[in-house]
Amino acid sequence: MTLGPIGVFDSGVGGLTVLRALRARLPGADFVYLGDTARLPYGTKSPDTVRRYALQAAEALRSRDVRALVVACNTASGVALEALAEHWPDVPVVGVVEPGAAAACRRSPTGNIAVIGTESTIRGGAYQAAIARLRPAARVRVRACSVFVALAEEGWFDTPAAEAVARAYLGDWLEGDDAPDALVLGCTHFPVLTDLIRRLAGEALVLVDSATTTAEVVADVLTDDPGTTSVGSLQFLATDGAQRFAAVGSRFLGQPIDPTDVEIVDL
Ligand code: DGL
C-alpha cells in the first residue's frame, strides 16, 4: 500500500516556513502544500469565515488522500482545529499554536513572554490560553501585527519600510527593564522577518517560531516512518497567482519553486 502525502495548508505562502522545517525533519515524506492565496489574509476575518475557509482547504487536501493534515497557519489553528479534527477523525490534524506555545514556555528564561500574530489569533486568545496552561506563572503580553503579513507577502523582509513598521509595532517592548525575554512569532508569515527583528531587538531576546516544534509533533503522530533514503516529492496548490506564489514562496521555502509546478485550484 502506498501512503499518501502529508497535506499542509496556510492562507498564503507563510506556511512554507513550516513546510521547510517538515522537509528537514522528514526528508523522505511526500508533501502537498495548499496556499489559499485568493482569500488571504485570514487574520482580519471573523472566526466563522476562517473556519469555513479552513474546512474547504482541508477538504481539497483530503481529496488528494493525505495521511496527515498540518494547519500551517496560526489563525486557522486558533479557530478551526477542533472542527477539522471532528470532520476527519481518521487523519491526524496538527496545528501550530500548541507547538509554538510549548517552545516559548520551554525557551523563555524567566517566563516574560510576548506574542505577536494576526488580529484573529490575538483576539481568539489561543496562545494566551496555551501558555497559561503550560507555564501558569508566565506573564504574557500580546499584540496584533497584521501589516507584517502584507510585508512578508510582498517579499519586503528587511527593507526600510519593514523596519519602520517593526519599530511602530515592537518599539516599546524592546527597551527598558520590563522588556520580554521571549517573542513568539505567532504567524507563519513572520519568520521571514527574523533578521530584521533580531537586528532591532538584539541577541538577548529569544525568538520563537513554531515550525521546528510542529515538525517534531508531525513526526511523532505519523504511524509509519517515511524514511530518509529517498527524497520525498513536493506538490504546490494555490487558489490564485502561480507566478507570485512561486516568486515569493521560494524565499519562504528556501528553495526555488517553478511557477509551472503550481497548480491553481478552486475551493
Ligand atoms: N500565516 C497565517 C498565520 O499563521 C496568517 C496570515 C493571514 O492573515 O492570512 O496566522
Side-chain angles (χ1 to χ4, degrees), residues 49 53 236 257:
T49 299
Y53 288 177
F236 299 105
I257 300 172

Coordinates of all heavy atoms in Angstrom, one line a residue, residues 49 53 236 257:
T49 N -15.8 32.7 9.3 CA -15.2 32.7 7.9 C -13.9 31.9 7.9 O -13.8 31.1 7.0 CB -15.0 34.2 7.5 OG1 -16.3 34.9 7.5 CG2 -14.4 34.3 6.1
Y53 N -13.3 28.6 5.6 CA -12.2 28.6 4.6 C -11.3 27.3 4.9 O -10.8 26.6 4.0 CB -11.3 29.8 4.7 CG -11.9 31.1 4.1 CD1 -11.3 32.3 4.1 CD2 -13.2 31.0 3.4 CE1 -11.8 33.4 3.6 CE2 -13.7 32.2 2.9 CZ -13.0 33.4 3.0 OH -13.6 34.5 2.4
F236 N 2.6 21.7 -5.2 CA 2.1 23.0 -4.7 C 0.7 23.3 -5.3 O 0.5 23.2 -6.6 CB 3.0 24.1 -5.1 CG 4.4 24.0 -4.5 CD1 5.5 23.6 -5.3 CD2 4.6 24.2 -3.2 CE1 6.7 23.4 -4.8 CE2 5.9 24.1 -2.6 CZ 6.9 23.7 -3.4
I257 N 10.9 27.6 -6.5 CA 9.6 27.0 -6.9 C 9.4 27.5 -8.3 O 9.4 28.7 -8.6 CB 8.4 27.4 -6.0 CG1 8.7 27.1 -4.5 CG2 7.1 26.9 -6.5 CD1 7.7 27.6 -3.5

